[in-house]
Amino acid sequence: MLYPELFKQLESVRWDMDKDIPWDQFDASKLTDEQAQTIKMNAITEWSALPATEMFLRDNKDDSDFSAFMSIWFFEEQKHSLVLMEYLRRFRPELAPTEKELHEVRFEFEPAPALETLMLHFCGEIRLNHWYRRASEWHTEPVIKQIYLMLSQDEARHGGAYLRYMKRAINNFGNEAKAAFAKVGVLMASARRTAQALHPTNLHVNKALFPRDTIQSRLPNPEWLEHWLDTQINFDSVWESKVVERILHNMSLLMDRSFKSVQELNRFRKEIAAAIAASAAAAGAGPTPSVA
């Protein structure tokens, strides 16, 4: 089991909201209304760890180890929301999210393949680590700069924990896990080709609620994320390249094969799909399906 070790590891570096946040260094002259509004949106977005945890527990009923790890992930993600709300409560109380605004992002996600969801959230942690690093640079008020830096470090650690479970999945499920991880990896490393940011909070997860079936669509300002990325923190092609590089680097470690581009990862995806199809055909499971 990975949970006991991950608990000790993450417990040893966990920050304290009262002791480790330099609240006394707040400088009101360096916080703009525009910046404060983005903090509110981030606080509500982080609250969506609640429905994500409900999804993980539902879709991993046969995996008590991973489900136990969710107790750590859920606690720390909700703490992210809480520290951002505490910042607003102290310094911009009129912008603190209401309970109604928080509850808006709690809705049911449709069941999805557990391995693909795991990879999706692994990539999401990498992306959020980079978003928050950039947010820390963009902000000018020293306390919130420090908070975003701490959050970015948490997201990196969460990504590392997900990677441990992905390695375990490959040991347990072989090509099935490799195929799932490669498929989602190609998608999440191809953000330059999409009209919207590729992150779990911006993907459609419940057809019955479409189009209000993404986390971002249920925020007070549904257009906030793209504006935050493109205009405010300026998450440009240089930063997007950093995300893609980290995804490809980790896929290389995971698959024991070097991937220098999304195209190389996609070729690997097709190879694994072909191997699975050939194995099924050899076992008498029917005709070989297309791997395109």
Side-chain angles (χ1 to χ4, degrees):
M1 291 179 66
L2 299 176
Y3 168 67
E5 181 183 345
L6 289 172
F7 182 92
K8 290 180 182 178
Q9 176 186 328
L10 294 175
E11 182 91 345
S12 68
V13 294
R14 183 169 297 138
W15 48 270
D16 184 282
M17 193 155 65
D18 292 325
K19 298 176 183 177
D20 297 324
I21 306 295
W23 299 112
D24 59 347
Q25 296 178 20
F26 176 73
D27 186 342
S29 68
K30 295 183 177 180
L31 177 67
T32 67
D33 290 341
E34 178 188 24
Q35 291 169 333
Q37 286 283 355
T38 71
I39 297 167
K40 174 178 181 175
M41 295 300 132
N42 272 148
I44 299 173
T45 300
E46 286 282 358
W47 191 265
S48 67
L50 174 54
T53 300
E54 292 172 324
M55 170 203 67
F56 272 126
L57 293 177
R58 179 198 63 202
D59 294 345
N60 290 274
K61 288 183 178 179
D62 59 344
D63 190 346
S64 290
D65 181 14
F66 181 76
S67 297
F69 167 69
M70 278 295 104
S71 68
I72 305 174
W73 183 80
F74 180 45
F75 172 80
E76 294 193 351
E77 293 291 343
Q78 290 296 124
K79 185 179 175 186
H80 292 176
S81 182
L82 189 61
V83 72
L84 295 171
M85 289 193 285
E86 177 64 14
Y87 181 90
L88 293 173
R89 186 191 69 79
R90 288 174 181 247
F91 308 125
R92 288 294 177 90
E94 72 280 5
L95 290 179
T98 65
E99 185 173 352
K100 184 177 184 298
E101 288 174 327
L102 295 171
H103 190 66
E104 270 295 300
V105 300
R106 186 186 184 187
F107 63 101
E108 186 175 6
F109 299 178
E110 290 181 1
L115 292 173
E116 293 183 7
T117 301
L118 176 61
M119 177 61 181
L120 179 68
H121 280 261
F122 168 72
C123 294
E125 300 288 5
I126 291 177
R127 190 169 294 283
L128 205 51
N129 164 262
H130 287 78
W131 285 357
Y132 283 167
R133 284 165 55 192
R134 187 68 191 99
S136 179
E137 294 180 1
W138 173 68
H139 277 276
T140 48
E141 197 288 306
V143 178
I144 196 63
K145 286 175 72 71
Q146 178 64 22
I147 289 174
Y148 273 114
L149 184 59
M150 295 168 74
L151 299 191
S152 74
Q153 293 167 344
D154 277 358
E155 306 297 2
R157 284 189 284 269
H158 295 166
Y162 281 135
L163 187 64
R164 295 280 301 277
Y165 281 104
M166 291 162 67
K167 290 179 180 177
R168 188 194 65 168
I170 288 177
N171 288 335
N172 291 342
F173 303 111
N175 280 349
E176 179 188 351
K178 290 181 180 181
F181 299 156
K183 175 184 175 182
V184 176
V186 170
L187 169 68
M188 295 299 282
S190 302
R192 298 192 193 101
R193 305 176 189 177
T194 65
Q196 64 177 27
L198 288 180
H199 185 266
T201 62
N202 211 27
L203 300 178
H204 294 282
V205 293
N206 189 323
K207 292 179 182 177
L209 297 175
F210 183 84
R212 295 190 71 244
D213 63 330
T214 71
I215 297 299
Q216 297 301 328
S217 70
R218 302 173 78 89
L219 295 182
N221 177 9
E223 308 302 321
W224 161 76
L225 181 62
E226 280 71 26
H227 181 66
W228 183 63
L229 293 171
D230 298 340
T231 306
Q232 295 174 321
I233 69 172
N234 190 25
F235 202 82
D236 58 17
S237 60
V238 174
W239 278 91
E240 183 58 39
S241 294
K242 294 176 187 284
V243 172
V244 174
E245 288 169 5
R246 293 313 299 170
I247 292 174
L248 293 175
H249 172 74
N250 281 284
M251 287 298 96
S252 297
L253 294 177
L254 199 60
M255 307 299 181
D256 194 26
R257 176 168 170 172
S258 177
F259 302 114
K260 300 296 184 183
S261 67
V262 179
Q263 290 74 21
E264 289 184 5
L265 181 59
N266 193 38
R267 284 196 290 271
F268 174 78
R269 176 192 68 80
K270 292 182 178 181
E271 289 175 18
I272 294 297
I276 292 173
S279 178
T288 302
S290 169
V291 298

